[in-house]
Amino acid sequence: MQIFRDKPSNFGPSIVTIGTFDGVHTGHKRIIEKVVTLAHQHEVASVVLTFDPLPRQVHHPDPKNKLICSLADRLTRIEQLGVDTTWVQQYDLDFAAQSPAEFVHKYLVAPLRPEVVVIGEDMRFGAQNSGDAQTLRELGEEFGFTVETVSNIVDPIFGRRWSSSWVRELLAQGRVDQAAYVLGHAHSVRGTVVHGKRRGRELGFPTANLDADFIEAIPADGVYAGWLRMPYPPHSKTPSSLEVVPAAISVGTSPHFGDVGRTVEAHVLGRADLDLYGEEVVIEFVHRIRDNLAFDSLDALLERMDCDLWETAVVLGVPKAQRIDPAAVTA
């Protein structure tokens, strides 16, 4: 997939969609798949115009205002849908102040020469969100493109419109199974492995630790079953592949030890040899096992952690793993 960071020139004709696509959930996928289908039919390029940072980060800045996924993961998921080109437009207050007509002329017609623009039925654009689907149709008549709208998906079970906001709510509640249902894929976070307190290693549960302050939307505190995706071989300048391994994942503080500071820690089942410090890894959440708890004794904590390993193996359908002998940890 071709990626533009600046306004393209001498590009098109094309089929275009516009949006933030945070998380690239199932509703987003329906829109993007429509773009790809029409592009094949028209024998032109398929284009996604998206934004960085996202509008809500600019209009409502807040360190807690995390994305569902990083820009890198957003682009990967868009590429997996067969898109030819994605244009990542910088979003700022000056950009937001354009009228709908200015936006369409400067950022659609002139650079992309669209034949069709595909949008969700509730799409808004232009200064103060003054443009809508009807506005775009009228501008299309003026500039020579047509508009196709894709209806929102209203879930038949929960009665809610599938949206990024709903995904963020589910993650905040730790409901990663249902978030995956709305996303169409398991939720994941990406980060660099840092040194922790090494307490897990001493207890037989060595972990890959990520600093929660520097990664995107993290599920609610608790213990989860999931997968860790890491470059293989580790610490190679040109890793040949990604290795995917089962992991028991802890999110939050360690209430039993009274720790301060939120972390994401992944213990890879049955592995004592992983040296991942400084590596960028992806942690994928499959199922929430329990809350974070303080225990009456260290033995009680270890017994519960042994159960976490067993439940993780059952959820993921992998062989059960035992606690690691601290003397066997090589990394």
Side-chain angles (χ1 to χ4, degrees):
M1 181 178 72
Q2 184 177 26
I3 298 174
F4 289 121
R5 302 285 180 164
D6 299 309
K7 185 180 293 187
S9 60
N10 299 319
F11 189 87
S14 63
I15 310 296
V16 183
T17 189
I18 313 151
T20 58
F21 303 113
D22 186 19
V24 195
H25 61 64
T26 303
H28 296 149
K29 291 173 184 173
R30 180 178 289 185
I31 294 171
I32 294 170
E33 287 165 352
K34 180 71 172 178
V35 170
V36 172
T37 297
L38 288 173
H40 287 161
Q41 292 173 354
H42 288 242
E43 298 183 337
V44 298
S46 54
V47 180
V48 172
L49 171 55
T50 191
F51 307 101
D52 182 52
L54 297 193
R56 64 187 185 84
Q57 293 179 302
V58 173
H59 296 290
H60 307 286
D62 185 336
K64 297 179 181 179
N65 197 1
K66 299 283 191 177
L67 305 180
I68 296 172
C69 69
S70 66
L71 175 61
D73 288 331
R74 194 188 339 162
L75 293 174
T76 296
R77 296 199 185 283
I78 290 171
E79 181 177 21
Q80 289 170 343
L81 295 171
V83 172
D84 297 315
T85 301
T86 296
W87 173 9
V88 182
Q89 168 61 37
Q90 181 179 353
Y91 189 94
D92 55 28
L93 294 177
D94 289 338
F95 180 87
Q98 298 177 102
S99 70
E102 288 174 323
F103 168 75
V104 167
H105 180 261
K106 291 181 181 179
Y107 290 88
L108 291 182
V109 176
L112 300 176
R113 293 190 294 149
E115 295 184 359
V116 183
V117 178
V118 181
I119 58 172
E121 62 184 356
D122 59 350
M123 182 260 202
R124 309 289 300 199
F125 67 102
Q128 299 180 341
N129 283 333
S130 55
D132 58 12
Q134 182 57 35
T135 308
L136 192 61
R137 290 190 189 94
E138 293 169 359
L139 290 167
E141 291 177 0
E142 177 181 349
F143 290 114
F145 62 83
T146 60
V147 176
E148 292 209 17
T149 58
V150 177
S151 299
N152 292 326
I153 301 176
V154 177
D155 186 82
I157 299 173
F158 298 97
R160 289 194 58 169
R161 180 177 69 89
W162 289 21
S163 66
S164 298
S165 297
W166 188 15
V167 173
R168 282 190 285 272
E169 288 178 24
L170 293 169
L171 294 176
Q173 298 164 4
R175 298 164 68 183
V176 295
D177 312 63
Q178 191 175 337
Y181 168 68
V182 179
L183 287 167
H185 54 263
H187 175 65
S188 61
V189 300
R190 178 187 298 271
T192 301
V193 178
V194 298
H195 288 276
K197 300 179 185 299
R198 301 173 71 87
R199 188 184 292 129
R201 172 187 178 131
E202 295 167 0
L203 297 176
F205 300 91
T207 59
N209 303 321
L210 309 185
D211 189 333
D213 290 338
F214 296 98
I215 54 181
E216 302 304 340
I218 302 169
D221 290 2
V223 176
Y224 297 83
W227 304 94
L228 185 142
R229 300 177 180 270
M230 57 187 180
Y232 182 83
H235 301 292
S236 169
K237 292 183 179 179
T238 56
S240 59
S241 63
L242 284 177
E243 186 174 4
V244 182
V245 288
I249 306 157
S250 175
V251 175
T253 61
S254 298
H256 182 80
F257 296 101
D259 288 351
V260 176
R262 199 164 185 245
T263 61
V264 179
E265 304 179 35
H267 169 71
V268 177
L269 272 60
R271 296 289 292 271
D273 61 329
L274 296 178
D275 176 8
L276 296 175
Y277 295 119
E279 290 282 5
E280 184 179 73
V281 300
V282 173
I283 294 177
E284 190 173 279
F285 295 85
V286 174
H287 177 73
R288 191 168 194 258
I289 293 173
R290 63 172 175 88
D291 293 338
N292 279 348
L293 303 169
F295 293 87
D296 295 334
S297 67
L298 180 59
D299 285 342
L301 169 63
L302 292 174
E303 182 179 352
R304 178 60 251 193
M305 292 173 74
D306 287 336
C307 291
D308 295 339
L309 296 186
W310 182 85
E311 291 187 39
T312 295
V314 170
V315 168
L316 300 178
V318 299
K320 181 181 175 183
Q322 303 293 328
R323 195 186 313 172
I324 302 294
D325 179 357
V329 179
T330 59

